Amino acid sequence: MGVFRDIEMEYEGQTYTVTPSNRLLRRIEGELSPSSLTDMIARIGSAKPPVSEVAFVVAEFLKAGGAEKVSEDEMYAELMSDLMTNEGKVFGAMTEAIVVAISPVDEVKTKKPKPSKGKSSE
């Protein structure tokens, strides 16, 4: 089991399964710098969505899932159109999927810790 959740994203009639990794998140955050994914999510939550950043992140996630012909410019245009004509329903679904994907899976370890193999003092 991975640290992050797999998500499915639809683009141009195809469904892509994205398996986030820390490497993917670092690459994205390197491009967002000095902003970060958590900054972006906070601004979305405060009704100040950074559409250009979300477009970039969605495009990178889709590329990681195998979409070869997605560009952040096209994604920006699609998200802006959605915000203006569809009350942001697609934008909301995409941002929600990203939040779910980058949130590590809660994994409760039920195994007992192994005793240390230190030398006994006899």
Side-chain angles (χ1 to χ4, degrees), residues 59-104:
E60 289 299 306
F61 267 62
L62 285 167
K63 287 176 191 174
E68 296 175 6
K69 298 187 179 198
V70 61
S71 79
E72 63 182 282
D73 291 340
E74 291 171 356
M75 189 54 58
Y76 179 84
E78 288 183 32
L79 293 175
M80 284 300 293
S81 174
D82 175 65
L83 285 167
M84 292 188 283
T85 62
N86 193 32
E87 299 176 357
K89 292 177 183 171
V90 172
F91 183 88
M94 290 289 197
T95 56
E96 184 177 323
I98 290 168
V99 170
V100 167
I102 68 171
S103 301

Side-chain angles (χ1 to χ4, degrees), residues 9-63:
M9 300 177 85
E10 290 186 29
Y11 179 69
E12 292 189 340
Q14 295 234 324
T15 301
Y16 298 93
T17 300
V18 181
T19 304
S21 66
N22 195 51
R23 179 177 296 228
L24 173 63
L25 301 183
R26 283 193 339 251
R27 186 175 75 235
I28 290 171
E29 289 206 331
E31 289 289 323
L32 292 177
S33 183
S35 187
S36 68
L37 285 166
T38 52
D39 292 339
M40 182 187 81
I41 292 166
R43 285 183 292 178
I44 291 166
S46 66
K48 297 177 185 174
V51 181
S52 61
E53 290 180 1
V54 173
F56 168 72
V57 173
V58 170
E60 289 299 306
F61 267 62
L62 285 167
K63 287 176 191 174

